[in-house]
Amino acid sequence: MFFSKDLPSPTSVFTAYASMAGYMMMIRSMAHELIPAPIQDFIYRTLRSLFFRTSSSTLTLTIDDDNMGMNNEIYRAAQTYLSTKISPDAVRLRISKGHKDKHVNLYLSDGEIVNDVYEDVQLVWRFVTDGGDKKSGGGGVGGRGGGGRRGGMDDDGRSEYFELSFDKKHKDLILSSYVPYIESKAKEIRDERRILMLHSLNSLRWESVILEHPSTFETMAMEDDLKRDVIEDLDRFIRRKEFYKRVGKAWKRGYLLYGPPGTGKSSLVAAMANYLKFDVYDLQLASVMRDSDLRRLLLATRNRSILVIEDIDCAVDLPNRVEQPVEGKHRGESQGPLTLSGLLNFIDGLWSSCGDERIIIFTTNHKDRLDPALLRPGRMDMHIYMGHCSFQGFKTLASNYLGLSDSTMPHRLYPEIERLIDGEVMTPAQVAEELMKSEDADVALEGLVNVLEKMRLKSEESNPVMMKKKESRLELEEMTLRRDTEGSPRKNSKRFKKLVLFWT
């Protein structure tokens, strides 16, 4: 039995309580300062799961941006996908627009919820912001709103993540089907929004500008069969990711564009970039001093891109694989110079596997000057000859520049142009230059006919084969004239005049 004298006095009780409270506040303050926020959050969730277990049938997946120090692709996909699912009833959104973006982007803000349905399964998305200064979480214009964060936590200690809640019995369906569906839809959305960039070298660093080249396959002055072959090859390459993985090849494709100047090689590169929505890296080999510089530059390129090396035959004098570099010809002092062997290693060697969905394009005016090692399959898989303008190419240019459609009544000068343009007479660039001289179709085409006649005559005079054919036709005309001695004097006179005009 306790007596009142054995009980502590109220003063001592309050003193002990105050001391304990002070110690707890000090410990809490130290823990908040010393223990990182993610660890605090982990401890809190663990304790909550231990002491407050529930029998709910709802499963919640947390999707953080940080994935062991790397970007979480599922987080990026969810952010892009949900930006198209925002409800009109949303009361708080984040808005952003980068200097390269053409449109304003909307994203979920803290606490906003999006409902989704997939194969009759109800799903609830929620965007959550924990820790840091939450008052600054609504704007996000400085990069957070646009999804530009590079980690699960900001500099102010704030972490952002998505919560996906659904019935537990659908877990396998969500992980095996819904998540891949989100990734594929996000890829389509990003392709539609993507701004193509042209990257060029400056002091061994890539500098970027927006690529706004208007060239497309519809505007290219090429034969329809060649266009179709190139498009089909590109489509086959894009959809063969698993095929390349199965056969043990790097997911890349090489194209060699060769032909005279002015035949549209650079325009074809732009058309391929616009068709695939790929960035373009313009690599000037003359600016690269060593193989190590080339390796560093190529590792800095992104996936889904086109690497272009124009005029590979005269870009730089590359020592081949068997010649020893001559002393004094080294372009690099501390390491070996840029070599053909080093270039080949990046095309199809071990370093070529450091990236996916890459296209490599070489252009040249003289294919015969290239080292055969560059041309074999596996390096340059498809060789595309960009030749002189054909009649089919001319009709495309006439449609582009003069608005003439071949589906309606063809222009009266088309038969004459078809006869004159046959063969290696004019390049597409030369034809386009003539068509730009007048907006009147009659005037522009008549000027083109005059130029074609001059160019064709010049081409025939400089071509021994054409001159021989010309002499053969003349001899045939003379034999016909001798046999036809019984003909009328008027008819013979016309043939004689024709022969004189033909020679002059």
Side-chain angles (χ1 to χ4, degrees):
M1 181 176 182
F2 295 99
F3 297 94
S4 59
K5 64 179 181 180
D6 297 326
L7 295 175
S9 64
T11 303
S12 62
V13 171
F14 286 129
T15 302
Y17 175 78
S19 299
M20 181 64 68
Y23 282 121
M24 292 298 295
M25 292 294 293
M26 183 178 64
I27 293 174
R28 179 181 178 185
S29 178
M30 292 177 62
H32 183 73
E33 293 293 334
L34 298 178
I35 302 177
I39 299 179
Q40 294 181 40
D41 188 58
F42 173 75
I43 295 174
Y44 172 74
R45 292 182 184 180
T46 303
L47 294 176
R48 185 174 62 177
S49 64
L50 290 175
F51 294 102
F52 300 97
R53 292 183 179 273
T54 61
S55 57
S56 174
S57 63
T58 301
L59 175 63
T60 299
L61 302 179
T62 301
I63 306 173
D64 297 294
D65 189 15
D66 183 64
N67 179 29
M68 303 296 291
M70 302 177 63
N71 290 333
N72 188 349
E73 293 297 327
I74 299 179
Y75 180 92
R76 289 187 62 229
Q79 188 176 51
T80 304
Y81 173 75
L82 294 177
S83 67
T84 64
K85 297 287 185 177
I86 294 176
S87 171
D89 299 328
V91 296
R92 188 180 179 88
L93 297 174
R94 298 187 295 180
I95 183 173
S96 72
K97 184 177 186 297
H99 70 282
K100 299 176 183 177
D101 295 334
K102 293 183 177 180
H103 306 288
V104 172
N105 300 314
L106 295 176
Y107 298 93
L108 297 178
S109 187
D110 184 29
E112 287 295 330
I113 293 176
V114 171
N115 296 307
D116 197 12
V117 178
Y118 181 75
E119 295 188 4
D120 298 329
V121 177
Q122 297 291 330
L123 304 108
V124 179
W125 287 89
R126 182 169 178 261
F127 182 72
V128 182
T129 302
D130 281 345
D133 184 9
K134 292 189 179 183
K135 291 183 180 180
S136 64
V141 179
R144 297 183 185 107
R149 257 182 340 103
R150 294 300 181 190
M153 182 183 297
D154 291 330
D155 294 337
D156 57 4
R158 183 182 65 178
S159 61
E160 299 176 352
Y161 55 90
F162 289 102
E163 288 183 348
L164 174 60
S165 302
F166 52 89
D167 197 300
K168 290 181 178 178
K169 64 182 180 181
H170 301 301
K171 175 183 176 182
D172 293 338
L173 174 67
I174 299 304
L175 295 179
S176 62
S177 181
Y178 182 62
V179 173
Y181 166 76
I182 290 176
E183 291 179 311
S184 64
K185 293 295 292 184
K187 182 177 180 295
E188 294 177 4
I189 296 170
R190 283 195 294 265
D191 287 344
E192 293 177 359
R193 296 177 177 176
R194 185 170 184 180
I195 306 300
L196 301 186
M197 305 302 297
L198 173 62
H199 308 269
S200 58
L201 280 183
N202 183 15
S203 300
L204 292 181
R205 291 181 179 273
W206 293 114
E207 289 191 346
S208 306
V209 295
I210 297 178
L211 177 62
E212 296 181 322
H213 200 293
S215 178
T216 64
F217 281 106
E218 288 75 17
T219 61
M220 285 293 300
M222 297 170 57
E223 292 291 337
D224 290 341
D225 291 342
L226 181 57
K227 286 184 187 179
R228 192 179 305 110
D229 291 343
V230 175
I231 293 175
E232 289 177 355
D233 191 79
L234 292 173
D235 291 339
R236 186 165 50 249
F237 166 73
I238 292 300
R239 66 172 180 263
R240 276 187 157 187
K241 178 178 180 179
E242 295 301 325
F243 170 81
Y244 279 88
K245 183 178 180 180
R246 186 174 69 252
V247 301
K249 288 176 61 69
W251 192 14
K252 65 176 185 62
R253 189 76 172 160
Y255 295 90
L256 175 68
L257 311 184
Y258 66 99
T263 53
K265 294 184 286 294
S266 298
S267 297
L268 179 57
V269 173
M272 294 168 73
N274 288 326
Y275 180 77
L276 297 174
K277 301 295 183 183
F278 278 18
D279 286 354
V280 177
Y281 289 85
D282 183 16
L283 179 60
Q284 299 291 335
L285 288 182
S287 302
V288 182
M289 305 298 293
R290 296 175 291 271
D291 286 346
S292 58
D293 296 333
L294 180 62
R295 178 172 63 249
R296 184 167 63 253
L297 287 170
L298 295 185
L299 290 178
T301 60
R302 296 173 52 186
N303 292 342
R304 296 177 58 80
S305 62
I306 298 175
L307 177 67
V308 182
I309 304 179
E310 293 191 286
D311 298 323
I312 182 66
D313 57 303
C314 57
V316 67
D317 185 16
L318 294 175
N320 62 32
R321 295 163 295 172
V322 296
E323 292 179 348
Q324 296 296 327
V326 180
E327 185 177 357
K329 292 183 67 176
H330 282 192
R331 297 187 301 154
E333 299 297 336
S334 60
Q335 301 182 47
L338 179 65
T339 62
L340 177 61
S341 178
L343 180 61
L344 297 179
N345 188 36
F346 296 121
I347 297 175
D348 68 344
L350 293 176
W351 287 103
S352 66
S353 61
C354 298
D356 285 332
E357 219 167 353
R358 306 283 185 89
I359 287 179
I360 302 173
I361 298 179
F362 288 168
T363 71
T364 179
N365 297 334
H366 307 282
K367 180 181 177 181
D368 56 324
R369 296 181 185 177
L370 299 182
D371 191 301
L374 283 171
L375 304 179
R376 72 166 179 80
R379 289 169 180 163
M380 294 296 103
D381 303 289
M382 186 175 185
H383 297 193
I384 303 174
Y385 176 67
M386 304 295 291
H388 288 75
C389 189
S390 64
F391 183 64
Q392 182 66 46
F394 156 75
K395 290 192 293 184
T396 301
L397 294 175
S399 175
N400 296 340
Y401 289 90
L402 302 176
L404 298 178
S405 177
D406 191 43
S407 59
T408 59
M409 181 67 68
H411 194 275
R412 58 181 177 82
L413 292 176
Y414 270 24
E416 181 70 8
I417 294 175
E418 182 177 9
R419 181 184 67 82
L420 293 172
I421 206 171
D422 181 47
E424 299 181 353
V425 182
M426 294 181 69
T427 65
Q430 292 172 322
V431 174
E433 182 63 26
E434 292 300 323
L435 297 181
M436 291 178 62
K437 291 183 177 180
S438 176
E439 296 179 357
D440 188 304
D442 292 333
V443 175
L445 293 183
E446 287 173 359
L448 177 62
V449 168
N450 293 333
V451 174
L452 280 172
E453 290 176 343
K454 296 177 182 178
M455 295 288 290
R456 189 166 188 85
L457 179 61
K458 182 178 178 181
S459 175
E460 290 178 350
E461 290 177 350
S462 61
N463 191 335
V465 177
M466 295 296 295
M467 285 298 295
K468 188 173 182 180
K469 291 182 178 180
K470 188 175 181 179
E471 292 175 357
S472 299
R473 290 197 302 270
L474 179 60
E475 292 177 357
L476 181 61
E477 288 285 346
E478 290 177 343
M479 292 175 60
T480 305
L481 181 61
R482 292 193 188 100
R483 287 199 308 265
D484 198 12
T485 54
E486 297 180 357
S488 64
R490 184 178 180 183
K491 185 176 181 181
N492 292 335
S493 176
K494 286 184 178 181
R495 290 185 177 179
F496 181 74
K497 290 180 179 180
K498 185 177 180 181
L499 289 174
V500 172
L501 290 174
F502 188 77
W503 269 114
T504 56

